[in-house]
Amino acid sequence: MKTVITITACLLILAGCQDSEENRLFTVANAAKKSIAARYKDPDAVLFKDLKLDWHQQHICGELNAKNGFGAYTGYEMFRAELKGTGADTTVTDFWTARSKLNQVFDDSAAGRLTTTLGEARLKIIYEVVCDDSTSHQSSSKSPIYIPVKS
């Protein structure tokens, strides 16, 4: 009987840890979304989907759709944001979209400032925008943490 009670208590404790970790991840993601949305003209209208945290929780990636100056949505585009913090105090220290980063690479290539091939630079952007570091991609079994949409 003591064994059953002990096992039940352990399972309840583990279930509580899982729930609090999940809530912490949602808190980090929501703080990051708020910080990213604040960069746009209409922060309340920014839509997010397919959010992922890297396993260190230093980056958040996904897609966002924001309104332009005419009040129309521009379409979803992939983004990556560097994060600082571990909870509700999480802020974004750097933010870019795949489109803006690719434009920068093409500009650097045209100006002769690119230190790698154009193909390597584009591949690096693809890995980064899906929260996967191209150098650790081959050596790590850790994958991004998907953040489901909470209704």
Side-chain angles (χ1 to χ4, degrees):
M1 186 63 175
K2 285 183 181 181
T3 306
V4 172
I5 292 172
T6 303
I7 291 173
T8 304
C10 288
L11 289 175
L12 288 173
I13 290 170
L14 288 175
C17 291
Q18 175 66 23
D19 189 42
S20 64
E21 176 66 8
E22 184 177 303
N23 285 337
R24 190 185 68 74
L25 292 175
F26 279 118
T27 301
V28 168
N30 286 333
K33 287 179 359 184
K34 184 176 179 181
S35 184
I36 292 166
R39 298 167 184 258
Y40 287 88
K41 192 172 205 157
D42 187 356
D44 295 330
V46 177
L47 304 174
F48 293 91
K49 73 176 186 178
D50 298 332
L51 292 179
K52 299 173 282 294
L53 285 169
D54 75 319
W55 65 279
H56 290 293
Q57 296 156 32
Q58 296 172 334
H59 318 290
I60 190 167
C61 307
E63 296 183 54
L64 64 81
N65 193 358
K67 290 184 176 181
N68 61 18
F70 297 107
Y73 281 102
T74 58
Y76 280 95
E77 62 180 328
M78 297 175 79
F79 75 91
R80 177 183 175 107
E82 309 292 324
L83 302 179
K84 182 180 180 183
T86 58
D89 64 336
T90 300
T91 58
V92 172
T93 59
D94 188 26
F95 168 79
W96 52 267
T97 64
R99 186 179 315 153
S100 66
K101 195 69 149 186
L102 286 170
N103 287 340
Q104 179 185 351
V105 166
F106 289 129
D107 290 347
D108 288 348
S109 177
R113 295 185 301 255
L114 200 59
T115 57
T116 63
T117 68
L118 189 57
E120 288 171 339
R122 289 172 31 197
L123 186 60
K124 184 175 187 282
I125 290 169
I126 291 168
Y127 278 125
E128 288 178 350
V129 84
V130 295
C131 279
D132 195 357
D133 184 11
S134 60
T135 57
S136 69
H137 175 68
Q138 298 159 349
S139 63
S140 175
S141 63
K142 301 282 188 178
S143 58
I145 302 163
Y146 292 89
I147 306 295
V149 177
K150 255 189 171 179
S151 18

